[in-house]
């Protein structure tokens, strides 16, 4: 008996699912609808369809992980109790099919946590809509999870659906009963949010409403559960003073107070993260939720100890102008002989960290939870670089591999300072035990060789930036 994912979807999605089941004989997973604003439900119809195809199978709520026979019998008979055996800490990872989420899911599972992934798989849909693809071939989420179990013998549960649909999210909470929620499940690209009005609205709706639903689900179903939320250093902007970790103490007209650090978001995506932070801070104060906001810098790298175990576990590696991050993009450009594309003057400075440090930071936040009613903010990065710094590092590393690496300045599609002061504090995670993987020659060599290995998959038409902050308009755009 197998348990399958339930997705809440619109009628077009249901018809597509129906065709898929009839053509393949499988109902093991159905992707969420293409336009997540629409939440008409066809789950019951899909359940009837699947039961018609699989008389010897049942679809139970929202879980997609096959259980062992004995455990399944105990669960269905009601004889399995939480106090009957020692179990690992239960962590729900929202957005577990994405770049940071997948690496984190494997890392925590390997550490002994009981992990569940919640995802609507919409990130894969964005690739189809925009005509882009990961440098690395990535397996379906179902095959990834099966491969992980075959290698290490550990289950990862799967709930396919949209957290903007509260009924779906509530069911996932009631079934899995998380002790920690790691929330990566947001549209994460500033350029994507600036393509057109539709995608700006989608970004804010998906991110803000989704996070609100998570907060309500914690309050109603898991009040002791802690939230670890992925924020962004982009919330702060580039102020001409040092950036503190979440809060700043100010003396004004003879009075002193500690206040949230001022926000200067630079895109509709970054603004959605600011709204999230305010909503989380408010619910911590009002409802006693415990939360940690990880204001993450720019992530680079692709391999972790877990994802390099097998090609079927590979993480995605974005190099395009919409989802690709600076260092990853530069390594791919060098590998295919394309000049490194520095936006404007190249003095834009940000915090950066290795994907291996992202997963470390998440576990540190889980293992050292916030107090009840506390809203903590950690600045999650390990080093600061300007875009010009990165270009020079990639040029030097590329030449050692025999690559002829050139750099060009292209008109900056963003509205941002190209030369500025930047000094952000990042001590709290170090104090908790973070052991950083700093950017080194060996890591750059590894990244470049990885890009060279898959360079035949590169679509050079996707390298140059095509999204303009100033030209965003109402008309839907195909990038």
């Amino acid at each position: 008996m197998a348990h399958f994912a339930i997705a809440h979807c619109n009628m077009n999605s249901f018809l597509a699912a129906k065709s898929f089941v009839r053509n393949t004989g499988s109902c093991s997973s159905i992707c969420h609808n293409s336009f997540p604003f629409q939440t008409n439900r066809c789950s019951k119809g899909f359940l009837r369809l699947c039961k018609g195809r699989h008389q010897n199978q049942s679809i139970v709520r929202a879980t997609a992980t096959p259980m062992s026979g004995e455990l399944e019998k105990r669960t269905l008979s009601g004889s399995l109790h939480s106090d009957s055996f020692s179990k690992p800490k239960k962590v729900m990872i929202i957005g577990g099919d994405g770049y940071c989420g997948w690496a984190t899911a494997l890392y925590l599972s390997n550490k002994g946590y009981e992990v569940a992934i919640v995802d609507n798989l919409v990130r894969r849909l964005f690739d189809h809509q925009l005509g882009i693809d990961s440098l690395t071939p990535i397996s379906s989420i179902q095959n990834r999870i099966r491969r992980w179990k075959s290698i290490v013998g550990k289950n990862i549960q799967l709930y396919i659906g949209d957290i903007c649909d509260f009924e779906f999210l509530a069911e996932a909470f009631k079934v899995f009963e998380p002790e920690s929620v790691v929330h990566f499940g947001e549209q994460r690209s500033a350029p994507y949010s600036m393509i057109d009005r539709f995608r700006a609205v989608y970004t804010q709706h998906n991110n803000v409403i989704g996070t609100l639903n998570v907060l309500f689900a914690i309050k109603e179903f898991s009040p002791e559960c802690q939230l670890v939320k992925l924020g962004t250093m982009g919330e702060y902007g580039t102020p001409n003073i040092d950036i503190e970790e979440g809060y700043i103490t100010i003396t004004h007209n003879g009075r002193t107070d500690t206040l949230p650090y001022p926000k200067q978001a630079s895109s509709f995506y970054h603004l959605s993260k600011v709204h999230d932070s305010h909503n989380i801070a408010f619910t911590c104060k009002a409802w006693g939720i415990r939360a940690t906001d990880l204001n993450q810098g720019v992530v680079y790298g692709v391999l972790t100890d877990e994802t390099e175990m097998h090609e079927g576990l590979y993480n995605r590696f974005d190099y395009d102008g919409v989802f690709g991050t600076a260092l990853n993009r530069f390594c791919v450009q060098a590998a295919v002989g394309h000049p490194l594309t520095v936006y404007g003057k190249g003095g834009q400075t940000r915090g950066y960290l290795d994907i291996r440090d992202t997963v470390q930071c998440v576990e540190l936040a889980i293992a050292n939870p916030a107090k009840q009613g506390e809203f903590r903010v950690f600045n999650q990065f390990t080093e600061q670089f300007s875009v010009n710094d990165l270009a020079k590092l990639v040029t030097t590393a590329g030449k050692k591999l025999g690559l002829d690496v050139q750099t060009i300045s292209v008109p900056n599609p963003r509205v941002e300072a190209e030369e500025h002061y930047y000094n952000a504090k990042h001590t709290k995670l170090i104090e908790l035990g973070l052991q950083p993987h700093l950017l080194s020659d060996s890591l750059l060599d590894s990244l470049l060789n990885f890009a060279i290995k898959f360079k035949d998959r590169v679509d050079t038409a996707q390298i140059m930036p095509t999204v303009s902050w100033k030209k965003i308009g109402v008309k839907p755009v195909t990038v």
Side-chain angles (χ1 to χ4, degrees):
M1 177 175 175
H3 294 171
F4 297 107
I6 294 177
H8 287 180
C9 48
N10 63 20
M11 186 53 63
N12 288 334
S13 297
F14 171 65
L15 294 175
K18 185 175 181 181
S19 174
F20 175 80
V21 171
R22 285 177 174 168
N23 290 333
T24 66
S26 172
C27 60
S28 60
S29 67
I30 297 296
C31 182
H32 187 70
N33 50 294
S34 299
F35 296 98
F37 295 152
Q38 304 171 7
T39 56
N40 295 328
R41 295 169 178 81
C42 63
S43 296
K44 293 181 180 178
F46 176 59
L47 294 185
R48 289 193 296 270
L49 171 66
C50 290
K51 286 181 179 178
R53 296 291 297 184
H54 301 270
Q55 294 297 327
N56 62 338
Q57 296 176 336
S58 297
I59 299 197
V60 180
R61 292 176 177 170
T63 179
T65 302
M67 291 183 174
S68 67
E70 181 59 30
L71 180 58
E72 184 174 298
K73 290 177 184 177
R74 293 166 65 194
T75 301
L76 295 177
S77 66
S79 63
L80 182 63
H81 301 287
S82 60
D83 57 355
S84 62
F85 62 94
S86 177
K87 60 186 178 63
K89 194 172 185 69
K90 301 175 74 172
V91 180
M92 174 183 285
I93 301 179
I94 301 173
D97 188 45
Y99 176 54
C100 293
W102 177 240
T104 302
L106 297 190
Y107 181 82
L108 293 178
S109 177
N110 207 29
K111 286 281 188 177
Y113 292 85
E114 182 178 347
V115 174
I117 287 174
V118 174
D119 206 300
N120 65 358
L121 310 185
V122 74
R123 176 63 189 86
R124 296 173 184 257
L125 175 65
F126 293 160
D127 282 352
H128 292 300
Q129 289 178 335
L130 301 178
I132 57 181
D133 201 359
S134 165
L135 174 72
T136 49
I138 54 174
S139 301
S140 70
I141 185 62
Q142 292 86 355
N143 286 339
R144 282 174 151 184
I145 290 173
R146 281 193 287 267
R147 177 62 64 184
W148 176 246
K149 184 177 181 181
S150 73
I151 294 173
V152 301
K154 295 181 179 180
N155 279 324
I156 293 178
Q157 296 186 43
L158 176 63
Y159 301 81
I160 296 179
D162 190 349
I163 64 171
C164 289
D165 178 351
F166 188 74
E167 182 180 337
F168 159 77
L169 183 62
E171 193 71 7
F173 262 76
K174 288 186 285 187
V175 172
F176 183 66
E177 299 179 330
E179 296 169 85
S180 298
V181 172
V182 180
H183 185 13
F184 293 114
E186 301 196 314
Q187 193 295 100
R188 65 166 179 84
S189 165
Y192 186 90
S193 75
M194 302 300 294
I195 292 174
D196 53 30
R197 186 208 65 85
F198 175 83
R199 290 177 174 93
V201 172
Y202 168 73
T203 297
Q204 298 231 342
H205 180 277
N206 179 80
N207 294 3
V208 178
I209 302 304
T211 298
L212 272 174
N213 280 348
V214 171
L215 292 167
F216 272 97
I218 290 173
K219 178 180 184 293
E220 291 298 317
F221 308 116
S222 302
E224 295 302 314
C225 174
Q226 65 162 321
L227 173 64
V228 177
K229 165 70 164 56
L230 191 73
T232 172
M233 290 296 295
E235 292 185 34
Y236 299 122
T238 55
N240 199 38
I241 58 173
D242 290 354
I243 296 174
E244 305 296 331
E245 296 201 62
Y247 298 90
I248 185 169
T249 299
I250 298 174
T251 299
H252 179 65
N253 291 341
R255 302 185 69 84
T256 300
D257 201 353
T258 298
L259 303 169
Y261 196 94
K263 311 288 188 177
Q264 299 183 76
S266 59
S267 73
F268 290 119
Y269 155 73
H270 291 104
L271 283 164
S272 75
K273 291 289 195 176
V274 172
H275 301 328
D276 286 342
S277 296
H278 291 322
N279 285 336
I280 298 169
F282 170 73
T283 55
C284 287
K285 183 185 298 184
W287 302 341
I289 287 177
R290 59 185 78 217
T292 303
D293 201 2
L294 298 175
N295 280 345
Q296 183 166 256
V298 184
V299 186
Y300 58 82
V302 63
L303 294 178
T304 63
D305 290 344
E306 292 75 28
T307 61
E308 68 177 344
M309 287 181 180
H310 191 278
E311 288 186 358
L313 300 177
Y314 275 172
N315 207 347
R316 67 180 308 118
F317 190 110
D318 297 308
Y319 64 89
D320 58 274
V322 177
F323 286 99
T325 56
L327 185 57
N328 286 357
R329 292 179 63 234
F330 283 175
C331 288
V332 171
Q333 290 168 13
V336 299
H338 191 288
L340 309 188
T341 53
V342 171
Y343 293 173
K345 297 178 181 179
Q348 302 93 318
T349 302
R350 303 289 187 269
Y352 288 80
L353 77 162
D354 191 303
I355 184 71
R356 293 173 293 178
D357 292 338
T358 291
V359 300
Q360 266 198 87
C361 291
V362 171
E363 192 199 7
L364 286 169
I366 292 171
N368 301 275
K371 300 174 183 177
Q372 185 172 4
E374 181 185 10
F375 177 57
R376 302 186 302 185
V377 181
F378 297 160
N379 290 345
Q380 182 171 301
F381 70 95
T382 56
E383 298 176 276
Q384 292 183 178
F385 298 103
S386 71
V387 175
N388 285 331
D389 292 336
L390 295 178
K392 291 175 183 176
L393 289 169
V394 172
T395 298
T396 301
K399 287 181 178 178
K400 292 179 181 179
L401 296 177
L403 301 175
D404 181 18
V405 184
Q406 304 295 323
T407 300
I408 59 172
S409 175
V410 301
N412 193 345
R414 304 185 179 214
V415 177
E416 62 183 358
E418 296 177 2
E419 294 177 318
H420 56 85
Y421 176 80
Y422 197 82
N423 185 38
K425 306 292 180 62
H426 56 111
T427 60
K428 293 182 180 179
L429 285 162
I430 298 293
E431 290 168 359
L432 289 179
L434 173 64
Q435 298 178 341
H437 297 81
L438 301 180
L439 188 57
S440 62
D441 291 343
S442 60
L443 177 61
L444 279 171
D445 182 80
S446 174
L447 271 176
L448 284 166
N449 277 304
F450 201 82
I452 292 168
K453 176 181 178 180
F454 291 103
K455 70 177 183 178
D456 289 343
R457 290 177 52 86
V458 175
D459 178 4
T460 56
Q462 302 297 336
I463 289 178
M464 296 298 291
T466 56
V467 179
S468 170
W469 264 230
K470 291 183 178 180
K471 294 180 181 178
I472 184 173
V474 172
K475 184 178 179 181
V477 174
T478 298
V479 179

